[in-house]
Amino acid sequence: MNDIKKYLSGSNNKIIILDEVDSTNNYAKELGQKGEPEGTVIIADSQTKGKGRLGRSFYSPKGTSIYMSIILRPDTDIEKSSLITSCTAVAAARAVDKICRTDTKIKWVNDLYLNGKKFCGILTESVINSSGKLDFAVVGIGLNVRSVKNIFSSELLETATSIEDETGIKYSLEKISAQIINELNILLPEFDKADFIEEYRRRMCMIGWNVEILKSGIKRTAKAIGISDEAGLIVEYSDGSRDIVTSGEARILKNK
Ligand code: BTN
C-alpha cells in the first residue's frame, strides 16, 4: 500500500497504513476524538473485527480487499449526514469503473454490485457532540479487489464477489484506493448539495423490482419505484400507498 501516494492527484490527505487493525473505522474514530483533521485516511491490509451495517461483522482477510476509512468534518446538519454514504458509493463506483472499465451498480443504500453480486460495502459512523451537533464522521469502505473464491465461505459467495472474480483481471489495490480518494476529494466537499444524486439514481439496480424492506425488525414487501432527492428509497405497497425508506435494508426479491 506504500505506493498509493504515487496515484493521488494532488491531494494532501494524510494516509496512515496499517498491517492489521480491529477496524479502520474504530481507529479513525479514536483519532477523530483526538482532533485529527478532515481528510485523514486509514488503510489496513486486514481487520480482525471489521464492522458492517446493522451491527453485522465484515469479514476482512489479508490480500484480497481494500479496508479504508476517512475522517470528515462537514459543516452540515445531522439530517444531511446520511448523504455522505450515498455520495461515497458514487465516488467508489466512479473510481472502480475508471480503472477497471466495469459498469458498477449501486444497491440501496450503499452496496456496490457487479453482475448482480456485492463487491463493496460502506459504513458511515457519525459522532455527535454534547450539543447534539455532528462533531465528525467516519466513512469506511470495504472493497473486494482480488479473487475471494477460495477464501470466502460458500454461503458468503452466494451474494459476494470481487473485481477479479468478475473481470478475470488482477487490479492494483493501491491504484483503486488512490482513485477512490481522488473521487471523494471531488465529490465530498459539496455532498450536502446532493449534485451526485442523478448518478446515484442512474446506477441504482433495484428500481422496478419487488423488494423486502427490513426496518426495526419488521419485514414488508413492496415495489422499489425511485430514489428521493435525499437518497431515500421510494417504495409502493400492494395497497397503492407509498413510503420513502431512509434506514434499514432492502433485499431484492427475484420477481418484478
Ligand atoms: C456493509 O456492507 O455492511 C458495510 C461494510 C463496511 C466495511 C468497511 S471495511 C473498512 C471499514 N472498517 C470497518 O470496520 N468497516 C468498514
Side-chain angles (χ1 to χ4, degrees), residues 85-95 106 112 187 196 199-200 203:
T85 310
S86 27
C87 181
T88 302
V90 170
R94 273 190 195 179
I106 299 173
L112 299 194
L187 278 184
F196 63 87
E199 185 171 341
Y200 183 77
R203 291 182 180 274

Side-chain angles (χ1 to χ4, degrees), residues 23-25 47 50-53 58 68-69 118 121-122 140-142:
S23 149
T24 54
N25 265 28
Q47 301 184 117
K51 298 189 291 183
R53 285 185 74 234
F58 189 80
M68 171 161 104
S69 299
K118 172 173 171 173
I122 298 165
I141 302 163

Side-chain angles (χ1 to χ4, degrees), residues 21-27 42 44 47 49-60 65-70 110-112 118 120-125 138-143 249:
V21 69
D22 58 347
S23 149
T24 54
N25 265 28
N26 286 351
Y27 195 96
I42 295 94
Q47 301 184 117
K49 281 196 185 132
K51 298 189 291 183
R53 285 185 74 234
L54 307 171
R56 297 186 184 128
S57 63
F58 189 80
Y59 181 46
S60 309
S65 313
I66 296 165
Y67 311 111
M68 171 161 104
S69 299
I70 300 151
N110 56 2
D111 293 340
L112 299 194
K118 172 173 171 173
C120 172
I122 298 165
L123 173 68
T124 303
E125 297 184 80
V138 165
V139 60
I141 302 163
L143 193 152
E249 195 169 47

